Amino acid sequence: MKINGNAIRPGNVIEHKGGLWKAVRIQHTQPGKGGAYLQVELRNLRDGSKLNERFRSSETVERARLEQKAYQYLYADGELLTFMDTESYEQVQISTDLMGDETIYLQDGMMVQVEFYEEEPLGVILPEHVTLEVTETEPTVKGQTAASSYKPAMLSNGMRCMVPPFVDVGENIVVATAEGEYVKRAD
């Protein structure tokens, strides 16, 4: 499907220069002289390379149609992640390079959406939130809870996150996968 160059949004996958590229960041730029354009940071879905391109509104690009299907995360084997279709029990492997930093959120048995382009698995869409355990944080100082200050915490998956002062070691918290930020205490 053809779309205007200025209609590209983060997360869109386009066919460009003989490959499939995912828009990571976009920035509208309107120089003092000449027409406005869209500066787009693209990541190749097959080899992970990055590219910065400018698209004007007069240009058209081909937006790729990706099929999404629910899969369950099974395990990591070196640089490959294995996912299973819960209906057909078919397994697919995806390189950790395609997921990038998001691999830190994968948990055994987690349900994800695997994106396919013409039967080729290209990427994984994680759930919006994951529940993680706080393994290390500073103790709460009495009287510090009046201000809206946050303290650093180490989570069970090895990532660092800022949490409110009332969160202690051993508690489960909900973290947003897009930003890597604390959302709330787990129920």
Side-chain angles (χ1 to χ4, degrees):
M1 170 169 82
K2 295 256 187 212
I3 60 171
N4 285 342
N6 63 352
I8 299 171
R9 300 288 170 255
N12 286 164
V13 176
I14 62 170
E15 294 177 31
H16 183 65
K17 293 187 177 181
L20 285 175
W21 300 84
K22 186 174 193 170
V24 180
R25 282 193 202 98
I26 63 165
Q27 179 182 352
H28 283 280
T29 306
Q30 196 161 4
K33 191 174 185 182
Y37 60 87
L38 191 67
Q39 183 75 32
V40 182
E41 182 181 320
L42 299 167
R43 190 183 76 210
N44 190 306
L45 290 177
R46 293 195 172 102
D47 64 17
S49 63
K50 289 197 174 183
L51 176 70
N52 280 311
E53 286 288 325
R54 290 181 178 182
F55 294 101
R56 298 199 180 278
S57 58
S58 58
E59 298 177 56
T60 58
V61 292
E62 187 69 31
R63 184 170 173 192
R65 292 203 177 264
L66 298 182
E67 180 186 339
Q68 295 178 356
K69 195 167 183 189
Y71 273 73
Q72 182 179 26
Y73 172 67
L74 296 179
Y75 60 89
D77 183 20
E79 294 293 313
L80 293 175
L81 304 168
T82 304
F83 299 88
M84 178 183 70
D85 182 342
T86 55
E87 294 174 12
S88 67
Y89 301 108
E90 171 193 345
Q91 293 183 7
V92 296
Q93 291 186 319
I94 297 175
S95 169
T96 55
D97 293 340
L98 290 178
M99 282 196 66
D101 296 337
E102 293 180 333
T103 56
I104 198 165
Y105 296 112
L106 287 174
Q107 300 170 352
D108 291 340
M110 175 185 274
M111 293 303 293
V112 297
Q113 295 289 321
V114 176
E115 292 183 310
F116 290 90
Y117 178 74
E118 297 176 354
E119 304 300 317
E120 176 189 359
L122 290 177
V124 175
I125 299 173
L126 295 171
E128 286 184 36
H129 301 105
V130 294
T131 302
L132 299 167
E133 182 183 347
V134 176
T135 57
E136 188 181 308
T137 189
E138 299 168 1
T140 305
V141 177
K142 195 169 186 123
Q144 192 179 33
T145 55
S148 61
S149 61
Y150 278 66
K151 61 183 182 178
M154 179 67 80
L155 304 180
S156 56
N157 65 351
M159 77 177 264
R160 292 196 172 278
C161 180
M162 297 300 283
V163 297
F166 56 80
V167 175
D168 290 320
V169 173
E171 288 189 59
N172 288 330
I173 62 169
V174 176
V175 176
T177 54
E179 301 89 24
E181 295 177 356
Y182 169 86
V183 176
K184 64 178 184 172
R185 277 184 172 159
D187 300 328

